């Protein structure tokens, strides 16, 4: 089932399908390893809920909710 990354529950594995963004944001996400078929796991949500920490390729990165909506994943 495909959905946006912001909807994936904490500690649930997802696989990146596509990025629905352009320009510098797309380049930044690709540089962080968010390429097609990469696995990503949400590990921690900020108290305000605006940021979520994700594990990808052995590294923890924080992505804003507004940016996570542009990342399409498959669970």
């Amino acid at each position: 089932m495909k959905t946006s990354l912001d909807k994936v529950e904490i500690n649930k594995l997802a696989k990146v399908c596509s990025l629905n963004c352009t320009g510098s944001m797309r380049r930044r996400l690709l540089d962080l390893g968010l390429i097609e078929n990469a696995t990503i796991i949400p590990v921690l949500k900020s108290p305000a809920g605006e940021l979520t920490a994700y594990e990808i390729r052995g590294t923890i990165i924080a992505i804003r909710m507004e940016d996570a909506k542009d990342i399409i994943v498959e669970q």
Side-chain angles (χ1 to χ4, degrees), residues 4-64:
S4 59
L5 184 58
D6 65 312
K7 300 217 177 8
V8 178
E9 295 178 26
I10 298 296
N11 293 322
K12 299 290 182 179
L13 183 73
K15 188 188 322 182
V16 177
C17 293
S18 64
L19 302 176
N20 290 338
C21 55
T22 59
S24 63
M25 179 50 69
R26 181 178 178 82
R27 171 58 36 208
R28 204 169 283 132
L29 293 173
L30 290 170
D31 288 345
L32 289 170
L34 287 157
I35 59 173
E36 190 173 341
N37 293 325
T39 56
I40 187 165
I41 305 168
V43 293
L44 185 66
K45 207 169 257 253
S46 71
E50 182 58 31
L51 286 174
T52 302
Y54 298 93
E55 181 181 343
I56 183 161
R57 297 182 173 210
T59 303
I60 304 293
I61 61 170
I63 301 176
R64 294 181 296 205

